[in-house]
Amino acid sequence: MDNCKPCGGAIPLCMVDEFSLPPDIVDRRVRKMKMISPSGREVDVGRTLKENEYIGMCRREVMDKYLRDRAVEFGATPINGLVQKIEFEGTDGPYTVKYTKYEEGSPKGSPAEAEFDIIVGADGANSRTAKAIDAGEYNYAIAFQERIKIPDEKMAYYEDLAEMYVGDDVSPDFYAWVFPKYDHVGVGTGTVVNRPAISEYQAAIRERCADKLGPNPKVMKVEAHPIPEHMRPRRVVGRVALVGDAAGYVTKCSGEGIYFAAKSGRMAAEEIVALTAGGTRLPTEQEIKDTYLKKFDQKYGPTYLVLDILQKVFYTNNGAREAFVDMCASDYVQKVTFDSYLYKTVQGNNPLDDVKLLFNTIGSVIKGNAIAKPDRTFSNPVESLKRL
């Protein structure tokens, strides 16, 4: 269990209270963001935040251990192992999980198995649970991040600041970032449409932020991982329910997944426990769909839809990216964006400001296309068809 999941590490404010996270889990409290356009224009974001509002920056190895240890305190049985296969005769189980079990301090594992009536699959983008139930494929992005130690005077710049870079040099369909961590920064990027060029995009973001990192940045760790681009076609089969990345719960535009992984796991567990009626019965597939899936989709479906639209509109070319950064100068855009992210509800219910935003968006798009440099062309017809 000493693995460290590659991750940007940003969590919304609502997660801190909702999951009772202690203050020391949050390494940095980001209250300012700097958006950098393809042409180098910088827009400062964060002036609409209240004094007690922030984006939390965490290290997954720290937060995951805390949540895991707390689960054990509440009665969960931990097993240090790697799932190899899930076998069952009928979709309603029981399910035999075959795995490699590791003893503390030993790199060599031994085969083991256990039988279960219900499974909640929270095993990530490469989910073996999803494969076992034939949950269907999804398209995915590759995210690449370097954790970099920089001089103290350079780290002071990122005390409570995160940076977001857009441009076809750093990603043809996503963004690149510099996120502050405990005593270092995470610098990374991601792409769906041109995954073979991820190292080129990483080199480009390193070049764009080079002056801010100082003359001798030290790479501490290199991380790469897949990010689901949409939900699995089947998230509940029999008495197996998928949550988090395994289900495809990562938002477009922002690439956020931590909160939705935790929230979907809790929702699935609570609904399934309620359906068992104190352990007197086993729920049906339809009952799990009618409770867990229905409630999750109703609550968060609009968020996924809005962010999907935003990514398709603003991450497609340099003109749109220039417009995106230009729009972020608006106090109304900043407030709606931060409120939606921090509290996980789609904001924006001021008709007059929404109309103004529409016209400002049109103006920003026109201006962006006028100053933007043309996007580079690329072709990867074989790689682009790969799915997880």
Side-chain angles (χ1 to χ4, degrees):
M1 298 184 189
D2 59 350
N3 64 308
C4 171
K5 176 175 169 49
C7 182
I11 62 172
L13 182 62
C14 64
M15 185 174 178
V16 177
D17 290 334
E18 190 174 342
F19 289 87
S20 303
L21 299 179
D24 57 353
I25 290 292
V26 179
D27 291 331
R28 298 276 176 171
R29 289 165 175 77
V30 169
R31 294 183 170 89
K32 296 179 289 184
M33 288 194 69
K34 193 175 289 289
M35 317 290 288
I36 300 98
S37 78
S39 64
R41 181 190 177 186
E42 298 184 355
V43 170
D44 293 320
V45 178
R47 58 181 175 267
T48 62
L49 287 177
K50 299 182 179 67
E51 186 177 348
N52 63 337
E53 292 181 326
Y54 62 87
I55 298 172
M57 291 292 172
C58 303
R59 288 166 292 165
R60 287 297 299 271
E61 62 270 31
V62 175
M63 185 176 73
D64 290 3
K65 183 179 185 303
Y66 171 79
L67 293 173
R68 188 166 55 242
D69 291 347
R70 187 170 68 179
V72 172
E73 289 177 8
F74 289 165
T77 301
I79 296 176
N80 189 11
L82 177 64
V83 173
Q84 303 295 343
K85 193 175 184 181
I86 300 175
E87 296 181 344
F88 51 93
E89 292 185 3
T91 55
D92 289 335
Y95 308 95
T96 300
V97 177
K98 296 189 174 183
Y99 60 96
T100 302
K101 185 176 183 179
Y102 296 92
E103 300 297 338
E104 187 173 353
S106 174
K108 188 175 181 179
S110 57
E113 63 180 57
E115 187 176 279
F116 301 93
D117 292 319
I118 302 170
I119 293 178
V120 175
D123 47 344
N126 290 307
S127 172
R128 292 182 180 175
T129 308
K131 289 180 174 62
I133 63 172
D134 191 24
E137 299 177 331
Y138 48 33
N139 199 4
Y140 65 98
I142 285 294
F144 188 99
Q145 177 176 261
E146 294 172 302
R147 294 201 195 186
I148 302 176
K149 183 76 173 175
I150 59 177
D152 291 344
E153 63 271 19
K154 295 294 184 180
M155 196 67 208
Y157 172 77
Y158 292 106
E159 175 70 25
D160 60 352
L161 170 74
E163 292 182 320
M164 177 177 171
Y165 294 76
V166 290
D168 71 316
D169 58 332
V170 296
S171 176
D173 58 336
F174 201 53
Y175 65 91
W177 64 87
V178 181
F179 288 166
K181 300 286 190 177
Y182 175 65
D183 60 353
H184 59 281
V185 292
V187 180
T189 185
T191 177
V192 176
V193 299
N194 199 19
R195 295 187 291 257
I198 188 67
S199 59
E200 298 174 21
Y201 299 134
Q202 180 66 14
I205 178 57
R206 286 291 304 272
E207 182 179 350
R208 284 181 68 174
C209 67
D211 290 343
K212 297 173 184 176
L213 300 186
N216 294 301
K218 307 295 184 184
V219 177
M220 305 163 55
K221 189 179 181 65
V222 177
E223 304 169 321
H225 60 104
I227 299 177
E229 278 295 289
H230 53 83
M231 296 179 190
R232 294 267 190 192
R234 293 175 293 282
R235 290 170 283 158
V236 173
V237 177
R239 297 190 177 99
V240 179
L242 300 177
V243 299
D245 285 14
Y249 294 153
V250 177
T251 60
K252 295 286 190 72
C253 196
S254 66
E256 181 194 4
I258 297 177
Y259 176 80
F260 295 106
K263 184 65 174 181
S264 61
R266 173 174 283 183
M267 291 179 71
E270 288 176 345
E271 297 301 331
I272 289 172
V273 168
L275 289 168
T276 62
T280 61
R281 63 184 298 272
L282 291 174
T284 66
E285 175 181 320
Q286 193 58 48
E287 286 175 330
I288 299 174
K289 288 179 176 178
D290 288 343
T291 52
Y292 154 54
L293 280 193
K294 184 177 181 180
K295 290 181 180 181
F296 185 88
D297 290 348
Q298 285 179 340
K299 188 172 181 64
Y300 299 112
T303 297
Y304 284 89
L305 177 61
V306 169
L307 291 175
D308 187 14
I309 293 172
L310 288 176
Q311 178 162 321
K312 290 175 179 175
V313 171
F314 291 112
Y315 287 176
T316 52
N317 59 71
N318 281 332
R321 296 179 191 109
E322 291 285 354
F324 174 61
V325 173
D326 184 61
M327 289 170 55
C328 287
S330 160
D331 282 357
Y332 181 63
V333 170
Q334 292 191 24
K335 180 170 177 53
V336 169
T337 300
F338 272 113
D339 285 353
S340 298
Y341 175 80
L342 294 178
Y343 303 108
K344 289 295 164 277
T345 53
V346 175
Q347 303 289 322
N349 53 5
N350 186 319
L352 180 58
D353 283 336
D354 287 341
V355 171
K356 290 180 181 178
L357 177 60
L358 173 62
F359 284 102
N360 288 339
T361 300
I362 295 172
S364 294
V365 169
I366 294 172
K367 181 167 64 174
N369 282 311
I371 66 174
K373 57 184 179 181
D375 286 68
R376 293 175 294 180
T377 59
F378 58 87
S379 176
N380 55 355
V382 176
E383 168 66 23
S384 64
L385 295 176
K386 289 184 179 179
R387 300 291 185 268
L388 289 177

mmCIF file of all heavy atoms in Angstrom, residues 8-36:
data_model
loop_
_atom_site.group_PDB
_atom_site.id
_atom_site.type_symbol
_atom_site.label_atom_id
_atom_site.label_comp_id
_atom_site.label_asym_id
_atom_site.label_seq_id
_atom_site.Cartn_x
_atom_site.Cartn_y
_atom_site.Cartn_z
ATOM 1 N N GLY A 8 -2.540 15.426 -9.854
ATOM 2 C CA GLY A 8 -2.266 16.840 -9.616
ATOM 3 C C GLY A 8 -2.467 17.228 -8.168
ATOM 4 O O GLY A 8 -1.788 18.107 -7.646
ATOM 5 N N GLY A 9 -3.445 16.591 -7.509
ATOM 6 C CA GLY A 9 -3.605 16.765 -6.071
ATOM 7 C C GLY A 9 -4.518 17.874 -5.607
ATOM 8 O O GLY A 9 -4.560 18.193 -4.417
ATOM 9 N N ALA A 10 -5.298 18.497 -6.515
ATOM 10 C CA ALA A 10 -6.181 19.588 -6.109
ATOM 11 C C ALA A 10 -7.514 19.044 -5.606
ATOM 12 O O ALA A 10 -8.103 18.152 -6.209
ATOM 13 C CB ALA A 10 -6.421 20.532 -7.283
ATOM 14 N N ILE A 11 -7.979 19.580 -4.473
ATOM 15 C CA ILE A 11 -9.289 19.203 -3.937
ATOM 16 C C ILE A 11 -10.103 20.455 -3.657
ATOM 17 O O ILE A 11 -9.552 21.498 -3.291
ATOM 18 C CB ILE A 11 -9.178 18.350 -2.656
ATOM 19 C CG1 ILE A 11 -8.486 19.127 -1.535
ATOM 20 C CG2 ILE A 11 -8.444 17.044 -2.939
ATOM 21 C CD1 ILE A 11 -8.521 18.417 -0.187
ATOM 22 N N PRO A 12 -11.434 20.388 -3.826
ATOM 23 C CA PRO A 12 -12.281 21.550 -3.565
ATOM 24 C C PRO A 12 -12.492 21.758 -2.067
ATOM 25 O O PRO A 12 -12.362 20.830 -1.265
ATOM 26 C CB PRO A 12 -13.594 21.179 -4.254
ATOM 27 C CG PRO A 12 -13.634 19.690 -4.171
ATOM 28 C CD PRO A 12 -12.207 19.242 -4.325
ATOM 29 N N LEU A 13 -12.845 22.969 -1.711
ATOM 30 C CA LEU A 13 -13.048 23.316 -0.304
ATOM 31 C C LEU A 13 -14.103 22.448 0.355
ATOM 32 O O LEU A 13 -13.962 22.033 1.512
ATOM 33 C CB LEU A 13 -13.433 24.798 -0.202
ATOM 34 C CG LEU A 13 -13.649 25.356 1.202
ATOM 35 C CD1 LEU A 13 -12.371 25.266 2.017
ATOM 36 C CD2 LEU A 13 -14.121 26.812 1.115
ATOM 37 N N CYS A 14 -15.180 22.134 -0.377
ATOM 38 C CA CYS A 14 -16.273 21.371 0.221
ATOM 39 C C CYS A 14 -15.822 19.982 0.664
ATOM 40 O O CYS A 14 -16.404 19.398 1.583
ATOM 41 C CB CYS A 14 -17.446 21.259 -0.736
ATOM 42 S SG CYS A 14 -17.095 20.348 -2.265
ATOM 43 N N MET A 15 -14.777 19.439 0.038
ATOM 44 C CA MET A 15 -14.320 18.096 0.390
ATOM 45 C C MET A 15 -13.678 18.061 1.771
ATOM 46 O O MET A 15 -13.768 17.055 2.485
ATOM 47 C CB MET A 15 -13.327 17.586 -0.652
ATOM 48 C CG MET A 15 -12.890 16.148 -0.414
ATOM 49 S SD MET A 15 -11.856 15.508 -1.744
ATOM 50 C CE MET A 15 -11.492 13.870 -1.086
ATOM 51 N N VAL A 16 -13.037 19.154 2.164
ATOM 52 C CA VAL A 16 -12.357 19.202 3.460
ATOM 53 C C VAL A 16 -13.355 18.975 4.587
ATOM 54 O O VAL A 16 -13.142 18.139 5.481
ATOM 55 C CB VAL A 16 -11.622 20.540 3.643
ATOM 56 C CG1 VAL A 16 -10.982 20.619 5.020
ATOM 57 C CG2 VAL A 16 -10.567 20.717 2.554
ATOM 58 N N ASP A 17 -14.473 19.701 4.546
ATOM 59 C CA ASP A 17 -15.487 19.537 5.590
ATOM 60 C C ASP A 17 -16.287 18.255 5.413
ATOM 61 O O ASP A 17 -16.548 17.530 6.377
ATOM 62 C CB ASP A 17 -16.433 20.741 5.592
ATOM 63 C CG ASP A 17 -15.757 21.999 6.095
ATOM 64 O OD1 ASP A 17 -14.786 21.882 6.871
ATOM 65 O OD2 ASP A 17 -16.177 23.100 5.697
ATOM 66 N N GLU A 18 -16.671 17.968 4.179
ATOM 67 C CA GLU A 18 -17.543 16.820 3.925
ATOM 68 C C GLU A 18 -16.900 15.498 4.334
ATOM 69 O O GLU A 18 -17.573 14.592 4.833
ATOM 70 C CB GLU A 18 -17.915 16.791 2.444
ATOM 71 C CG GLU A 18 -18.998 15.797 2.094
ATOM 72 C CD GLU A 18 -19.438 15.914 0.656
ATOM 73 O OE1 GLU A 18 -19.172 16.960 0.020
ATOM 74 O OE2 GLU A 18 -20.058 14.956 0.146
ATOM 75 N N PHE A 19 -15.586 15.398 4.150
ATOM 76 C CA PHE A 19 -14.888 14.165 4.492
ATOM 77 C C PHE A 19 -14.019 14.309 5.736
ATOM 78 O O PHE A 19 -13.169 13.470 6.006
ATOM 79 C CB PHE A 19 -14.054 13.696 3.301
ATOM 80 C CG PHE A 19 -14.888 13.166 2.171
ATOM 81 C CD1 PHE A 19 -15.398 14.015 1.205
ATOM 82 C CD2 PHE A 19 -15.205 11.819 2.088
ATOM 83 C CE1 PHE A 19 -16.200 13.540 0.170
ATOM 84 C CE2 PHE A 19 -16.000 11.329 1.069
ATOM 85 C CZ PHE A 19 -16.504 12.189 0.111
ATOM 86 N N SER A 20 -14.267 15.388 6.484
ATOM 87 C CA SER A 20 -13.596 15.615 7.778
ATOM 88 C C SER A 20 -12.084 15.441 7.670
ATOM 89 O O SER A 20 -11.454 14.715 8.451
ATOM 90 C CB SER A 20 -14.158 14.655 8.839
ATOM 91 O OG SER A 20 -15.548 14.804 8.979
ATOM 92 N N LEU A 21 -11.482 16.115 6.700
ATOM 93 C CA LEU A 21 -10.038 16.026 6.516
ATOM 94 C C LEU A 21 -9.333 16.982 7.475
ATOM 95 O O LEU A 21 -9.714 18.150 7.592
ATOM 96 C CB LEU A 21 -9.667 16.381 5.077
ATOM 97 C CG LEU A 21 -10.251 15.491 3.983
ATOM 98 C CD1 LEU A 21 -9.821 15.992 2.610
ATOM 99 C CD2 LEU A 21 -9.845 14.037 4.170
ATOM 100 N N PRO A 22 -8.306 16.521 8.169
ATOM 101 C CA PRO A 22 -7.573 17.400 9.090
ATOM 102 C C PRO A 22 -6.768 18.440 8.326
ATOM 103 O O PRO A 22 -6.389 18.217 7.166
ATOM 104 C CB PRO A 22 -6.658 16.433 9.846
ATOM 105 C CG PRO A 22 -6.483 15.272 8.935
ATOM 106 C CD PRO A 22 -7.769 15.141 8.170
ATOM 107 N N PRO A 23 -6.468 19.577 8.950
ATOM 108 C CA PRO A 23 -5.766 20.667 8.254
ATOM 109 C C PRO A 23 -4.425 20.263 7.656
ATOM 110 O O PRO A 23 -4.041 20.766 6.602
ATOM 111 C CB PRO A 23 -5.576 21.721 9.351
ATOM 112 C CG PRO A 23 -6.671 21.432 10.342
ATOM 113 C CD PRO A 23 -6.863 19.948 10.314
ATOM 114 N N ASP A 24 -3.696 19.344 8.318
ATOM 115 C CA ASP A 24 -2.366 19.021 7.823
ATOM 116 C C ASP A 24 -2.382 18.140 6.578
ATOM 117 O O ASP A 24 -1.332 17.875 5.988
ATOM 118 C CB ASP A 24 -1.521 18.361 8.920
ATOM 119 C CG ASP A 24 -2.162 17.099 9.488
ATOM 120 O OD1 ASP A 24 -3.313 16.813 9.139
ATOM 121 O OD2 ASP A 24 -1.501 16.415 10.291
ATOM 122 N N ILE A 25 -3.563 17.683 6.152
ATOM 123 C CA ILE A 25 -3.661 16.946 4.890
ATOM 124 C C ILE A 25 -3.440 17.889 3.711
ATOM 125 O O ILE A 25 -2.913 17.504 2.674
ATOM 126 C CB ILE A 25 -5.051 16.266 4.765
ATOM 127 C CG1 ILE A 25 -5.159 15.120 5.757
ATOM 128 C CG2 ILE A 25 -5.306 15.762 3.345
ATOM 129 C CD1 ILE A 25 -4.243 13.947 5.460
ATOM 130 N N VAL A 26 -3.834 19.154 3.888
ATOM 131 C CA VAL A 26 -3.706 20.156 2.829
ATOM 132 C C VAL A 26 -2.333 20.809 2.911
ATOM 133 O O VAL A 26 -2.023 21.508 3.881
ATOM 134 C CB VAL A 26 -4.818 21.221 2.941
ATOM 135 C CG1 VAL A 26 -4.665 22.272 1.848
ATOM 136 C CG2 VAL A 26 -6.189 20.564 2.872
ATOM 137 N N ASP A 27 -1.481 20.562 1.914
ATOM 138 C CA ASP A 27 -0.133 21.121 1.906
ATOM 139 C C ASP A 27 -0.131 22.612 1.612
ATOM 140 O O ASP A 27 0.615 23.378 2.220
ATOM 141 C CB ASP A 27 0.724 20.419 0.843
ATOM 142 C CG ASP A 27 1.038 18.989 1.205
ATOM 143 O OD1 ASP A 27 1.102 18.678 2.405
ATOM 144 O OD2 ASP A 27 1.236 18.176 0.284
ATOM 145 N N ARG A 28 -0.945 23.013 0.659
ATOM 146 C CA ARG A 28 -0.990 24.415 0.237
ATOM 147 C C ARG A 28 -2.438 24.839 0.043
ATOM 148 O O ARG A 28 -3.263 24.072 -0.458
ATOM 149 C CB ARG A 28 -0.242 24.609 -1.087
ATOM 150 C CG ARG A 28 1.228 24.270 -1.042
ATOM 151 C CD ARG A 28 2.061 25.423 -0.523
ATOM 152 N NE ARG A 28 3.464 25.061 -0.395
ATOM 153 C CZ ARG A 28 4.433 25.919 -0.126
ATOM 154 N NH1 ARG A 28 4.136 27.199 0.028
ATOM 155 N NH2 ARG A 28 5.685 25.516 0.004
ATOM 156 N N ARG A 29 -2.731 26.063 0.418
ATOM 157 C CA ARG A 29 -4.065 26.636 0.215
ATOM 158 C C ARG A 29 -3.970 27.694 -0.890
ATOM 159 O O ARG A 29 -3.536 28.819 -0.643
ATOM 160 C CB ARG A 29 -4.599 27.221 1.519
ATOM 161 C CG ARG A 29 -4.963 26.134 2.529
ATOM 162 C CD ARG A 29 -5.140 26.653 3.939
ATOM 163 N NE ARG A 29 -5.600 25.581 4.819
ATOM 164 C CZ ARG A 29 -4.829 24.616 5.310
ATOM 165 N NH1 ARG A 29 -3.541 24.591 5.005
ATOM 166 N NH2 ARG A 29 -5.343 23.681 6.099
ATOM 167 N N VAL A 30 -4.368 27.287 -2.078
ATOM 168 C CA VAL A 30 -4.237 28.162 -3.239
ATOM 169 C C VAL A 30 -5.393 29.162 -3.268
ATOM 170 O O VAL A 30 -6.565 28.769 -3.305
ATOM 171 C CB VAL A 30 -4.201 27.342 -4.544
ATOM 172 C CG1 VAL A 30 -4.331 28.253 -5.760
ATOM 173 C CG2 VAL A 30 -2.910 26.537 -4.617
ATOM 174 N N ARG A 31 -5.045 30.428 -3.241
ATOM 175 C CA ARG A 31 -6.045 31.496 -3.286
ATOM 176 C C ARG A 31 -5.892 32.376 -4.518
ATOM 177 O O ARG A 31 -6.662 33.302 -4.736
ATOM 178 C CB ARG A 31 -5.946 32.349 -2.017
ATOM 179 C CG ARG A 31 -6.324 31.571 -0.745
ATOM 180 C CD ARG A 31 -6.277 32.452 0.488
ATOM 181 N NE ARG A 31 -6.854 31.774 1.634
ATOM 182 C CZ ARG A 31 -6.164 31.002 2.479
ATOM 183 N NH1 ARG A 31 -4.860 30.813 2.276
ATOM 184 N NH2 ARG A 31 -6.758 30.415 3.512
ATOM 185 N N LYS A 32 -4.863 32.082 -5.300
ATOM 186 C CA LYS A 32 -4.623 32.848 -6.528
ATOM 187 C C LYS A 32 -4.253 31.892 -7.652
ATOM 188 O O LYS A 32 -3.558 30.899 -7.421
ATOM 189 C CB LYS A 32 -3.486 33.864 -6.324
ATOM 190 C CG LYS A 32 -3.790 34.938 -5.300
ATOM 191 C CD LYS A 32 -2.621 35.884 -5.124
ATOM 192 C CE LYS A 32 -1.458 35.211 -4.409
ATOM 193 N NZ LYS A 32 -0.333 36.144 -4.146
ATOM 194 N N MET A 33 -4.704 32.197 -8.846
ATOM 195 C CA MET A 33 -4.311 31.443 -10.030
ATOM 196 C C MET A 33 -3.896 32.420 -11.114
ATOM 197 O O MET A 33 -4.448 33.532 -11.207
ATOM 198 C CB MET A 33 -5.455 30.557 -10.527
ATOM 199 C CG MET A 33 -5.752 29.364 -9.643
ATOM 200 S SD MET A 33 -6.793 28.142 -10.450
ATOM 201 C CE MET A 33 -5.677 27.504 -11.698
ATOM 202 N N LYS A 34 -2.947 31.993 -11.887
ATOM 203 C CA LYS A 34 -2.512 32.808 -13.012
ATOM 204 C C LYS A 34 -2.767 32.010 -14.290
ATOM 205 O O LYS A 34 -2.278 30.887 -14.442
ATOM 206 C CB LYS A 34 -1.024 33.158 -12.887
ATOM 207 C CG LYS A 34 -0.564 34.261 -13.836
ATOM 208 C CD LYS A 34 0.878 34.635 -13.586
ATOM 209 C CE LYS A 34 1.052 35.383 -12.286
ATOM 210 N NZ LYS A 34 0.499 36.759 -12.345
ATOM 211 N N MET A 35 -3.555 32.578 -15.188
ATOM 212 C CA MET A 35 -3.873 31.945 -16.463
ATOM 213 C C MET A 35 -2.968 32.555 -17.530
ATOM 214 O O MET A 35 -2.911 33.786 -17.664
ATOM 215 C CB MET A 35 -5.336 32.178 -16.829
ATOM 216 C CG MET A 35 -6.323 32.002 -15.669
ATOM 217 S SD MET A 35 -6.500 30.310 -15.145
ATOM 218 C CE MET A 35 -7.408 29.656 -16.529
ATOM 219 N N ILE A 36 -2.268 31.706 -18.282
ATOM 220 C CA ILE A 36 -1.334 32.190 -19.290
ATOM 221 C C ILE A 36 -1.768 31.694 -20.664
ATOM 222 O O ILE A 36 -1.911 30.490 -20.884
ATOM 223 C CB ILE A 36 0.105 31.760 -18.991
ATOM 224 C CG1 ILE A 36 0.559 32.312 -17.636
ATOM 225 C CG2 ILE A 36 1.048 32.259 -20.068
ATOM 226 C CD1 ILE A 36 0.467 31.357 -16.501
#
